[in-house]
Amino acid sequence: MPILQTKLHISLAALAATAALLAAPAFAADFYSGKSVDLLIGAPPAGGYDIYARALARHLGQNIPGKPNIIPKNMPGAASGRAAGFLSTLAPKDGTVIAAIMPGAVMGPLLDEKAEVLFDPTKVQYLGTANNGTRVCVARKDAKVKSFDDVLREKAIFGGVSANDSTRDYGYMHKHTSGALYDVIAGYNGTNDIGLAMERGEVDGACGWDWASFKSQRPDWLRDHKVNVLLQVALEPNEELTRMGVPHVWNYVKREETRKVVELIIGQQVFQRSYIAPPGVAPEQLAVLRKAFDDTMKDPQYLAEAEKLRIDVSPLPGAQVQAIVQKLHATPKDIVEKARAAIRP
């Protein structure tokens, strides 16, 4: 092709790309003006995921051109799989429905071979995650287990929710990788329900409770010394918990092969609170929603409310979350099989 013609093609392509970028905000403003966006919350009311999602809902619309109303709607079930499945199959693919999901929904199709696959975590489009978190094991102050070392010696009863929920999966993970002796009683309706069961004396404690959620849901437990925080679980130690003297999970995982298994399971915490759009949303629409999410995470009014609610904000952008999910789902099969065994009863 002649050089002049080549340059002309390049110039036209560049102009087209620039025009698309300039047109996207105007299109979005026209599209969203006077509309509302449903935010499906894949968790029950009053729990940590609900608190985070409703805080986001109060600010996200102000950062979307056209300023649509964001309407939060709880759709719990299958550790957020129900909400993600509805989003992927039945919801409009025009950017008017998004969802807040737990990391267990993303990891479930990988780690639970018997799970009903309600959606493909590698196909949905990630807007971002509000925080990457640390999870903890906690026990009532009056329980026999006062430390994680006690958990390795004493029988106890710990509460859990369901398969693909961290309270159940992490409960079994610690039993199989560290030798915890507690029994996991599953079937509770979220961490708020587990907290009530602890107050009634039905269970001694729980594992897999998100630290940010715990502080937001039960600030009086920490203030009034009603619980012992037994263990912190994350790829890297949490500074606050370390200052409190809470031991890290790696203290109790001795074998290198076991460590790889635990790393896969807890790797999901990097995208602790993901917000997703359906497969098939147009690229320009996805770009608008991702930018609005990123802008909200820096919005002074949102950050001020987050501080009042005692929720941590340590976001990752959507493209980065998308890449992490793809990488986790490409984990070698032998490690996946061992991780599956670790979270089973």
Side-chain angles (χ1 to χ4, degrees):
M1 181 180 289
I3 292 175
L4 183 60
Q5 191 175 350
T6 301
K7 287 182 178 179
L8 180 60
H9 274 276
I10 292 171
S11 299
L12 289 173
L15 285 171
T18 303
L21 287 172
L22 292 173
F27 166 75
D30 291 342
F31 177 78
Y32 282 114
S33 182
K35 286 192 170 71
S36 62
V37 175
D38 286 345
L39 170 55
L40 308 179
I41 305 172
Y49 284 87
D50 185 64
I51 292 169
Y52 265 87
R54 289 179 182 274
L56 178 75
R58 288 189 283 272
H59 300 273
L60 180 64
Q62 295 302 307
N63 290 295
I64 297 176
K67 300 189 186 315
N69 292 320
I70 310 296
I71 303 175
K73 297 180 178 181
N74 292 88
M75 188 180 282
S80 297
R82 181 175 171 233
F86 178 87
L87 186 85
S88 297
T89 56
L90 298 176
K93 307 298 189 288
D94 59 0
T96 59
V97 183
I98 58 177
I101 62 170
M102 301 178 185
V106 179
M107 297 297 286
L110 178 67
L111 295 179
D112 187 354
E113 61 184 347
K114 295 182 179 178
E116 181 184 1
V117 179
L118 301 173
F119 78 113
D120 185 341
T122 66
K123 295 292 195 296
V124 294
Q125 307 196 72
Y126 295 82
L127 308 183
T129 182
N131 80 321
N132 57 88
T134 300
R135 289 172 174 164
V136 293
C137 294
V138 298
R140 295 192 329 265
K141 200 75 172 181
D142 61 350
K144 287 192 298 182
V145 288
K146 310 292 184 185
S147 67
F148 199 76
D149 286 321
D150 288 344
V151 168
L152 306 183
R153 296 188 293 259
E154 298 275 357
K155 279 284 189 180
I157 299 173
F158 276 33
V161 179
S162 61
N164 301 328
D165 184 274
S166 60
T167 54
R168 177 188 178 274
D169 290 357
Y170 282 41
Y172 285 118
M173 178 185 73
H174 296 309
K175 285 177 69 69
H176 296 144
T177 62
S178 299
L181 294 180
Y182 52 68
D183 292 325
V184 178
I185 305 300
Y188 288 98
N189 187 30
T191 49
N192 190 54
D193 202 14
I194 292 173
L196 294 173
M198 287 175 65
E199 290 176 335
R200 293 191 297 264
E202 290 177 9
V203 298
D204 297 303
C207 281
W209 202 325
D210 174 66
W211 176 234
S213 295
F214 183 84
K215 291 188 292 182
S216 180
Q217 289 175 270
R218 305 285 173 176
D220 58 309
W221 283 11
L222 292 170
R223 183 192 65 226
D224 301 335
H225 306 288
K226 293 181 178 180
V227 293
N228 289 311
V229 183
L230 310 178
L231 187 71
Q232 56 169 308
V233 185
L235 294 175
E236 298 293 336
N238 177 286
E239 291 183 10
E240 180 183 17
L241 289 163
T242 300
R243 287 196 301 270
M244 291 168 58
V246 179
H248 193 268
V249 65
W250 298 137
N251 294 4
Y252 300 94
V253 179
K254 304 303 182 184
R255 298 174 58 219
E256 182 60 28
E257 184 179 69
T258 307
R259 184 183 175 106
K260 289 179 181 178
V261 167
V262 175
E263 282 179 343
L264 173 58
I265 295 168
I266 70 177
Q268 62 188 268
Q269 293 169 210
V270 175
F271 49 90
Q272 186 81 339
R273 301 176 196 283
S274 293
Y275 294 83
I276 60 173
V281 170
E284 62 271 18
Q285 202 78 353
L286 178 64
V288 166
L289 291 171
R290 281 180 168 176
K291 183 179 186 302
F293 181 87
D294 292 343
D295 290 347
T296 302
M297 293 296 104
K298 297 177 287 189
D299 188 323
Q301 292 183 324
Y302 170 74
L303 293 173
E305 181 173 1
E307 185 174 357
K308 288 179 183 177
L309 292 172
R310 299 185 181 88
I311 58 176
D312 296 334
V313 179
S314 48
L316 288 176
Q320 191 170 344
V321 177
Q322 199 96 38
I324 292 169
V325 172
Q326 297 286 350
K327 183 178 179 180
L328 285 172
H329 277 261
T331 300
K333 190 175 180 180
D334 63 320
I335 299 298
V336 172
E337 289 297 332
K338 290 180 173 69
R340 285 175 175 175
I343 61 175
R344 289 183 189 134

